[in-house]
Amino acid sequence: MKARTLKKDKVNIITLGCSKNMVDSEVLSGQLLANEIEVVHENGKLDHNIVVVNTCGFIDKAKEESINTILDQVALKKKGKLDKVFVTGCLSHRYRDDLEKEIPEVDAWFGTMELPLILKELEADYKAELLGERLLATPKHYAYLKISEGCNRTCSFCAIPLMRGGHVSRPIEELVKEAESLVKKGVKEIMLIAQELTYYGLDLYKKRQLGELLYRLSDVEGLEWIRLHYAYPSKFPIEVLDAMRDRKNICNYLDMPLQHASNNMLKAMKRQITREEMEDLIADIREKIPGICLRTTLIAGFPGETREDVEELKDFLRRMRFDRVGIFTYSHEENTTAHDLEDDVPAEVKEARAQEIMEVQQEISLEKNQEKIGQVFKVLIDKKEAGRYLGRTEFDSVEVDNEVVINTSKKLPIGEFVQVKITKAFDYDLEGDVIDQ
Ligand code: SF4
């Protein structure tokens, strides 16, 4: 790479989208570092001369954010503040041909599976022996662990398999090694991620192996919390919860995106499960792990969604009383099977329905938080902000869930655990005092 800005070569990686993308950026930076190339994540200082934008192509809003970010970087290049702008990730994978024509100022575009090619462009060698080694973009006490890539499901709304391909599990031994190496770097909590967690092992071992993986990971010394994200509900392997019940370091937490509750919608979404089956599954999970924190994600405004479907979903939420809920408005994605349907719910109606559904959850969340007043929780301290410490219980994941605001006059160590007695509850957060241990 020849620097024209007179800056020394330094790569800044900007990551958009989800935690899976974040892991890809961390792997890329680990490789660059091993090639002795200076690399940073989300550098605010502009003392770098090369940018890699790792894009998201999941839904309209994410695509827009990715394109705006690319345009911002291209503008910096035009002003002479950058030498090179490269783009990778899902958006680039999905729309490379169009984007190349639209934004010719970008130096090169890459797909989601082209790490060696990006490295080559950055004059670095791909080092296969570095498997799993990465430069964390998260605070050093937690990290994501991607256990597989891609997805074999056929949900009608989802464009992810178009960008990430079919399901490919990573071997258990490799994941255990990676977890050990993360713990050595100071990681206390790992969040298991995949497009679809419960499929883990079916491709590689010809049987579901998430349970076995959990037992093996929970044996890693020094790993205090293991958290499960993105479990598909149809044919959910309930025996996975044995590991959660048996091992203290597997959080009583499950993130299971359900998308909807009306049978009409579930069928149109090709979710391979009915509302009644989901209700039975939730009852079984709660029976097996009493007090488990259940998180789900929903879609508002899927084609054909009626007022009755929305009411059915709200009623389901009131009865199921999830601990955490996230919601997206439906995005009409080309080349998905839902794209053949008419996107007949107007954008403002989608937004209004999403808000209406979240209002139901807001009440439930507040009630559940109020029940925690007076209880003591083990809290992992994430950061200090505006003079107050913010942490999480085992029932809260990073960024998407509640935070615990900690009142104390003492200095608390970031990345360590403290015991906190809850004194106040809000819609989505808790407040409490540190108690002597
Ligand atoms: S498209 Fe999906 S996998 Fe890709 S970044 Fe967005 S959310 Fe992540």
Side-chain angles (χ1 to χ4, degrees):
M1 290 167 287
K2 199 114 190 90
R4 285 170 293 157
T5 50
L6 302 180
K7 290 179 194 170
K8 197 170 145 270
D9 280 346
K10 182 171 179 176
V11 179
N12 178 32
I13 304 179
I14 302 174
T15 310
L16 300 152
C18 64
S19 47
K20 285 149 265 177
N21 246 17
M22 163 95 85
V23 172
D24 292 347
S25 291
E26 291 174 345
V27 171
L28 170 61
S29 44
Q31 290 275 344
L32 291 174
L33 208 63
N35 278 276
E36 296 178 0
I37 294 174
E38 217 185 329
V39 56
V40 277
H41 290 287
E42 317 285 343
N43 189 17
K45 283 198 233 143
L46 209 64
D47 59 352
H48 52 268
N49 64 327
I50 298 159
V51 163
V52 178
V53 184
N54 190 0
T55 57
C56 176
F58 180 37
I59 53 174
D60 282 346
K61 283 182 194 158
K63 288 188 229 170
E64 201 181 308
E65 190 190 8
S66 291
I67 288 173
N68 288 338
T69 307
I70 298 167
L71 292 175
D72 289 347
Q73 297 308 310
V74 161
L76 287 174
K77 186 183 161 191
K78 280 186 186 159
K79 281 189 200 154
K81 297 200 185 305
L82 292 173
D83 291 319
K84 301 263 180 191
V85 175
F86 299 115
V87 181
T88 182
C90 296
L91 183 89
S92 170
H93 189 102
R94 195 168 170 200
Y95 300 108
R96 183 186 328 209
D97 293 348
D98 295 339
L99 289 166
E100 260 171 359
K101 281 183 216 129
E102 294 294 322
I103 320 178
E105 299 85 353
V106 168
D107 294 276
W109 302 83
F110 302 94
T112 54
M113 290 156 226
E114 294 183 332
L115 175 65
L117 293 183
I118 310 179
L119 289 168
K120 199 169 164 217
E121 192 68 43
L122 292 165
E123 295 176 14
D125 294 327
Y126 174 64
K127 296 185 188 299
E129 71 280 8
L130 281 183
L131 222 60
E133 272 300 315
R134 51 198 165 107
L135 183 66
L136 294 183
T138 50
K140 73 174 192 257
H141 58 280
Y142 63 78
Y144 295 97
L145 185 65
K146 184 151 61 163
I147 67 168
S148 58
E149 185 55 273
C151 185
N152 277 16
R153 305 289 177 193
T154 52
C155 303
S156 63
F157 54 83
C158 187
I160 288 175
L162 303 171
M163 300 179 275
R164 295 274 174 176
H167 190 109
V168 182
S169 303
R170 295 178 58 202
I172 292 180
E173 287 66 31
E174 193 180 303
L175 291 165
V176 170
K177 256 199 193 153
E178 186 169 336
E180 285 168 348
S181 136
L182 289 168
V183 168
K184 273 195 203 125
K185 289 182 187 152
V187 167
K188 299 209 166 59
E189 173 186 13
I190 56 170
M191 282 154 283
L192 263 50
I193 54 169
Q195 309 300 346
E196 206 286 73
L197 215 62
T198 65
Y199 199 92
Y200 178 78
L202 273 174
D203 54 321
L204 190 59
Y205 303 108
K206 308 294 167 239
K207 56 180 179 179
R208 293 179 196 265
Q209 282 291 70
L210 181 60
E212 173 63 17
L213 173 67
L214 285 176
Y215 278 114
R216 295 280 302 278
L217 287 174
S218 66
D219 283 336
V220 172
E221 214 168 310
L223 196 49
E224 301 224 25
W225 279 355
I226 299 168
R227 190 179 293 290
L228 305 184
H229 276 290
Y230 319 129
Y232 185 75
S234 173
K235 300 196 178 62
F236 178 81
I238 196 90
E239 65 283 358
V240 159
L241 300 179
D242 291 347
M244 192 180 279
R245 183 198 55 209
D246 296 346
R247 299 297 174 93
K248 263 181 91 179
N249 59 353
I250 302 178
C251 296
N252 285 351
Y253 179 99
L254 183 66
D255 181 356
M256 192 165 62
L258 296 177
Q259 314 301 0
H260 216 288
S262 130
N263 281 334
N264 291 337
M265 289 292 98
L266 291 169
K267 197 168 170 208
M269 289 176 171
K270 299 198 189 325
R271 293 288 290 169
Q272 300 175 312
I273 194 164
T274 63
R275 177 177 55 73
E276 295 77 9
E277 286 166 338
M278 294 196 311
E279 290 183 8
D280 288 348
L281 173 61
I282 291 162
D284 289 349
I285 292 173
R286 285 183 166 148
E287 192 186 327
K288 205 148 184 179
I289 311 285
I292 188 171
C293 174
L294 280 178
R295 174 179 177 81
T296 196
T297 317
L298 305 166
I299 294 176
F302 187 83
E305 187 185 63
T306 62
R307 173 75 351 227
E308 289 70 41
D309 295 320
V310 176
E311 291 306 324
E312 195 173 340
L313 177 53
K314 283 164 61 183
D315 173 62
F316 175 79
L317 285 185
R318 284 191 199 100
R319 287 183 298 105
M320 294 300 110
R321 294 179 68 78
F322 292 98
D323 299 86
R324 319 272 179 253
V325 172
I327 194 157
F328 290 100
T329 50
Y330 172 73
S331 178
H332 205 45
E333 296 298 318
E334 55 265 86
N335 300 322
T336 61
T337 46
H339 200 256
D340 297 339
L341 305 170
E342 192 193 342
D343 185 15
D344 55 356
V345 182
E348 61 281 10
V349 176
K350 287 178 187 165
E351 289 292 345
R353 287 181 183 175
Q355 199 178 332
E356 189 183 332
I357 292 160
M358 281 314 284
E359 276 163 19
V360 174
Q361 180 58 24
Q362 190 171 336
E363 239 172 75
I364 296 167
S365 178
L366 178 62
E367 284 165 15
K368 289 202 164 214
N369 279 351
Q370 281 166 338
E371 287 163 14
K372 297 194 173 85
I373 293 178
Q375 293 183 40
V376 174
F377 292 94
K378 179 179 169 184
V379 170
L380 180 57
I381 305 167
D382 278 333
K383 57 189 164 190
K384 191 174 184 186
E385 236 175 53
R388 304 197 305 176
Y389 290 98
L390 300 175
R392 289 174 294 113
T393 69
E394 75 168 289
F395 307 114
D396 302 297
S397 192
V398 173
E399 281 176 12
V400 288
D401 291 336
N402 286 354
E403 281 181 320
V404 183
V405 179
I406 306 164
N407 296 314
T408 180
S409 52
K410 288 186 197 161
K411 188 171 176 0
L412 299 178
I414 307 294
E416 296 293 333
F417 291 94
V418 290
Q419 296 290 324
V420 175
K421 184 171 186 175
I422 304 303
T423 53
K424 280 191 197 155
F426 305 95
D427 290 344
Y428 295 113
D429 289 317
L430 296 167
E431 193 173 312
D433 299 330
V434 174
I435 58 167
D436 288 329
Q437 295 160 49

